[in-house]
Each structure stands twice: as C-alpha cells, then as structure tokens.
C-alpha cells in the first residue's frame, strides 16, 4: 500500500490556538504584518510557523527488549577469574571487548584507559541489545531472524521522543505512566514522501521508506515508560532512541542551510584508476532564526547547558516539514546579535553525529 503524498516522517500535535498554554510564548513588541500582530500582543502559533525545537535527552536504559545479549553475538560475559587469550571476545556492562594480550586475567575491561600502555582490552562498542541507546545513530540494534522487535524505555517527565535510523515498515508507540494509564498511543507507517505527484511514478517507482520518527507534543507522565514495536519486515532494526523534554528556541526563517560531511575516501593511483572507500557521513545545518530580544537570555541558557552534549534538533516542527532539518548532534556554534530594540539576529549551527 502506498501512502498519499505528504512528509509522514514526524508525528506532531499542532497546538490549538484557543488555549493559553498552547500559545507561542514570544511577545511581539513591534508591528508584524505577516501575522497581523499589534504592539504588545502575543503571537499565536499558526500552522505555517516553523518552530525550531531542541529535545534535551534523559539518560535511558533498556527496561525490556525482545533482543537479548548472547555469547555468540556479543561475547561471553567477562569473569575476573578467567584467563583470556589474545583476541578473545567478552562483554562487560553492555559493551563488547577484544583482548589485546595473552594471559589476560583480572584486568577489568574499561571503555577508555588513562594510560595506553596499560590497555588490555579494546572497546568494540555496545552489545546488540544496547546499541539503540549509545550516542551514535549508525550502530543499530537488530532483531536478527525475527519479523518484529519490542522494547521499553523510561519516559519520566518527557514530552518528546525520537526514533532514528529505523528499519521497519510499521512502528507502534505506547506511552504509559507508572500506574498503567495510557498517555499516548499511535501507529505509524514508515513510508516516505513520493517526491512526485505524477501517476507514473506513483504506480511504478519503488516505495521509499522513512527512517526517522519524531513526536514533540506528547503528554508528560511524571513516571512513565515508552514502549515501541517495530514490525513489517525481516530483521527490523533501530539506530537510536531519544526521550526528553522539548524547548522552543525560536522560529526558523527561510535561508536555512543543510549539508553533509562525508568521511568516504577517493583514491586515484598512478594509472588514473580511482577506487572508492565508502564510509559513514554526518548531516549538518545552519539555521537563521527569529527571536525577540526578551527571550534571548532564556534561549542562551538552554544553549549553554547543551555545550558538548548530543541532542535532537528539530528545525521544522510541521507535519509536512522538511525531514532534513531534524538532526541528532551537537551545537557547534550560535550567534545572538542585538540588532535593535526589537530586532535580533540569531544563527545556529548544528553538527550531526554518525
């Protein structure tokens, strides 16, 4: 079944304009002809508003999962009394390690060593079960040999979730509080925009899957859980899960730039033969934002707290918005210029993680 044209990659609950708590809380001190706001009024968020949001993630743990840690796939559980040979593989605290020396006994595997000369183990990354909560999007938790995957995460005081690098045809999401009451429930079809409205392409072009799913208007439980089920294909997989609270940074203006850093290598030998080594790539974006000076201190505090911290950046919150403006990464730079009494120039640069 084909999905009707439309972005379809993000679940957004557009706020109603008739309730105080759903108003876009940026005061207008000047005439705004584009929205008809008068001096001193608060501007109400309209459907055409492209709000820039950031989801500050909470620390996650895998409470339940149909994917288990195994000796064959992740290595045997490390034991302090066992002597390991060189290249032996173990798992410890949900990470995989390979031994770098023979007669390796009593040396606790560590993600990082302060002294390279004392290194006895090399960290190979998270186990399959826990790959979906490391800081990278490229490493996936894969339900090998299955047609569905289910997992449960904490969702305490959260209003947003992001499911990134998803390989599945269907996604079911359920948010409950600690008493079992359902706060949010929705099923999604992971079909991307067809990018064309011609009947020929609609009928004969391959169906393209969407791999990212974000919802930023989820009712907040004090203590809750996020339950996700991926299904519809063999070996469903997911790269990263984000749960957190959303902060509005401003309104995205036209002129936003999106790019990609490609870590692949192209090598040409003395005979002119070129070989390609395909590697991972990371997205990046540079956004001009509208922000009233009254809100600048609050926004600066948010951005300062996110220094050297991965977060989920949503540059276009609309249902039909641009998927390219959603990036899991870190704030590379921001610039706030007080251009006038009621005018501010705000530029935000985001570098994505692999």
């Amino acid at each position: 079944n084909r999905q009707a044209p439309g972005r379809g990659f993000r679940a957004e609950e557009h706020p109603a304009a008739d309730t105080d708590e759903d108003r876009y809380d940026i005061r207008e001190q000047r005439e705004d002809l584009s929205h008809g706001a008068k001096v001193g009024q608060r501007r109400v968020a309209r459907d055409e508003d492209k709000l820039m949001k950031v989801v500050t993630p909470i620390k996650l743990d895998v409470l339940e999962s149909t994917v288990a840690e195994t000796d064959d796939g992740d290595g045997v559980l490390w034991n302090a009394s066992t002597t390991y040979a060189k290249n032996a593989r173990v798992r410890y605290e949900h990470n995989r390690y390979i031994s770098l020396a023979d007669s390796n006994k009593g040396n606790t595997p560590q993600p990082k060593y302060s002294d390279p000369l004392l290194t006895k183990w090399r960290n190979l990354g998270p186990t399959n079960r826990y790959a979906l909560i490391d800081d990278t999007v490229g490493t996936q938790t894969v339900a090998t040999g299955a047609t569905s995957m289910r997992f449960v995460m904490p969702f305490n005081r959260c209003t947003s979730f992001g499911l990134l690098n998803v390989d599945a045809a269907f996604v079911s999401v359920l948010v409950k509080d600690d008493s079992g009451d359902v706060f949010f429930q929705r099923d999604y079809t992971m079909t991307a925009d067809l990018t064309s409205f011609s009947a020929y392409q609609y009928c004969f072009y391959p169906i393209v899957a969407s791999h990212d799913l974000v919802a930023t208007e989820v009712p907040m439980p004090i203590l809750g859980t996020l339950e996700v089920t991926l299904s519809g294909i063999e070996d469903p997989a997911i790269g990263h899960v984000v749960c957190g609270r959303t902060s509005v940074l401003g309104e995205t203006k036209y002129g936003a730039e999106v790019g990609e850093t490609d870590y692949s290598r192209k090598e040409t030998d003395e005979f002119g033969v070129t070989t390609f080594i395909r590697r991972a790539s990371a997205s990046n974006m540079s956004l001009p934002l509208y922000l009233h000076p009254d809100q600048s201190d609050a926004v600066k505090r948010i951005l300062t707290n996110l220094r050297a911290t991965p977060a989920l950046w949503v540059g276009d919150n609309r249902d039909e918005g641009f998927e390219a403006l959603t990036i899991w990464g870190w704030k590379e730079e921001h610039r706030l210029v007080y251009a006038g009494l009621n005018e501010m120039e705000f530029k935000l640069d985001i570098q994505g993680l692999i």
Side-chain angles (χ1 to χ4, degrees), residues 156-170:
N156 303 333
R157 298 182 182 273
C158 294
T159 60
S160 307
F161 65 83
L163 308 177
L164 309 178
N165 194 13
V166 175
D167 290 334
F170 309 105

Side-chain angles (χ1 to χ4, degrees), residues 13-187:
E13 297 292 333
H14 284 293
D18 57 351
T19 58
D20 290 338
E21 61 269 20
D22 289 329
R23 296 182 183 274
Y24 183 31
D25 194 21
I26 291 183
R27 293 177 54 194
E28 280 295 301
Q29 301 293 338
R30 58 181 173 78
E31 182 81 7
D32 190 334
L33 298 177
S34 63
H35 292 88
K38 303 298 182 181
V39 175
Q41 287 184 338
R42 292 178 181 270
R43 187 170 70 197
V44 176
R46 309 296 180 90
D47 287 341
E48 64 269 22
D49 284 340
K50 301 169 286 297
L51 302 184
M52 173 67 198
K53 297 182 177 182
V54 59
V55 180
T56 303
I58 65 170
K59 184 175 178 58
L60 293 180
D61 190 15
V62 181
L63 303 179
E64 299 178 26
S65 177
T66 55
V67 177
E69 292 180 324
T70 63
D71 293 348
D72 291 337
D74 302 309
V76 298
L77 189 63
W78 177 79
N79 190 314
S81 61
T82 301
T83 300
Y84 297 96
K86 187 176 181 179
N87 295 325
R89 295 175 181 260
V90 301
R91 69 178 189 272
Y92 179 70
E93 294 185 344
H94 313 308
N95 281 284
R96 299 175 295 114
Y97 296 89
I98 184 171
S99 176
L100 300 179
D102 289 317
S103 303
N104 192 350
K105 181 179 180 180
N107 300 301
T108 305
Q110 300 177 27
K112 295 182 180 180
Y113 289 84
S114 57
D115 186 351
L117 297 178
L118 300 178
T119 302
K120 299 295 184 180
W121 298 94
R122 184 170 76 241
N123 188 0
L124 300 178
T127 61
N128 185 33
R129 178 185 174 100
Y130 284 83
L132 75 173
I133 58 172
D134 64 354
D135 283 337
T136 63
V137 179
T139 55
Q140 288 182 308
T141 293
V142 184
T144 305
T147 57
S148 67
M149 179 201 303
R150 174 185 170 274
F151 57 86
V152 180
M153 300 284 181
F155 201 73
N156 303 333
R157 298 182 182 273
C158 294
T159 60
S160 307
F161 65 83
L163 308 177
L164 309 178
N165 194 13
V166 175
D167 290 334
F170 309 105
V171 177
S172 297
V173 178
L174 178 65
V175 175
K176 297 187 292 186
D177 66 2
D178 56 343
S179 64
D181 292 333
V182 175
F183 276 49
F184 180 90
Q185 185 173 13
R186 184 161 298 178
D187 298 324

Side-chain angles (χ1 to χ4, degrees), residues 5 52 200 204 211 222 230 258 305 314 320 330 334 344-345:
M52 173 67 198
Y200 179 83
F204 299 107
H211 296 283
I222 301 302
L230 312 179
V258 178
N305 291 334
V314 183
E320 71 280 9
W330 76 91
H334 74 274
M344 170 162 282
E345 298 175 4

Side-chain angles (χ1 to χ4, degrees), residues 9 17 56 95 123 194 247 262 268 303 331:
F9 86 102
T56 303
N95 281 284
N123 188 0
L194 299 177
S247 300
D262 188 0
T268 302
L303 296 177
K331 173 187 68 69

